[in-house]
Amino acid sequence: MKAWFQRFMSGRYGSDQFSMFLSISALVLLVLGIFVSGILYYIGLAVLLYSYYRMFSRNIQKRYAENQWYLARSSAVRSWFDRLRTRFAQRGTYRYFKCPHCKQAIRIPKGRGRVSITCPKCGTQFIRKS
């Protein structure tokens, strides 16, 4: 069965970030459509079918261009979540402060007491407890 699927997918585009986004969105719409309204269910089915169409497509250049378009449009949201994930992972060792003048985020090690912080962007100095 595995060899058959590998032969079937040979020359096809497969999964990428945009397909994963479409699949997850379709799942959310399908679940909401079951509980809220029927139209969301049909929209979810259409999105899921489009996601499968993209995965099984042999037009690799066009699917690649669609994925690049999606990545360009979603980069701000993805980078915000990446920063949030990094901050959460470092919450035990660092504190984050915002410069009162330019709002630049500054990372300071925890447990240093009251420290004078100089903003690297604008040079403003302020005192905070780490």
Side-chain angles (χ1 to χ4, degrees):
M1 187 71 159
K2 183 179 178 182
W4 173 83
F5 189 70
Q6 286 177 339
R7 281 192 311 274
F8 175 74
M9 289 302 289
S10 177
R12 297 181 191 273
Y13 187 66
S15 181
D16 60 4
Q17 292 92 344
F18 188 40
S19 293
M20 294 303 294
F21 170 75
L22 288 173
S23 298
I24 292 169
S25 299
L27 179 66
V28 169
L29 287 171
L30 288 170
V31 170
L32 286 175
I34 290 171
F35 295 112
V36 178
S37 85
I39 190 74
L40 290 178
Y41 182 79
Y42 293 111
I43 293 172
L45 279 177
V47 171
L48 186 63
L49 289 175
Y50 181 63
S51 173
Y52 283 144
Y53 167 76
R54 288 189 80 253
M55 286 184 210
F56 296 138
S57 174
R58 290 186 186 263
N59 191 348
I60 293 174
Q61 289 80 18
K62 185 161 181 157
R63 302 294 87 84
Y64 178 78
E66 290 172 353
N67 189 48
Q68 291 303 313
W69 176 86
Y70 166 74
L71 292 175
R73 299 299 181 273
S74 65
S75 65
V77 174
R78 286 182 295 111
S79 66
W80 183 82
F81 276 110
D82 288 343
R83 282 193 308 273
L84 192 65
R85 187 176 320 135
T86 302
R87 279 186 163 200
F88 185 76
Q90 296 177 351
R91 72 187 182 282
T93 54
Y94 293 101
R95 297 255 336 246
Y96 287 87
F97 300 101
K98 284 198 184 248
C99 173
H101 186 259
C102 68
K103 308 299 184 213
Q104 171 73 33
I106 303 167
R107 185 180 75 165
I108 303 295
K110 275 189 170 181
R112 306 278 191 221
R114 292 179 61 84
V115 292
S116 176
I117 303 168
T118 303
C119 176
K121 187 174 178 183
C122 67
T124 303
Q125 290 189 347
F126 54 100
I127 297 175
R128 295 286 189 272
K129 183 178 180 235
S130 68

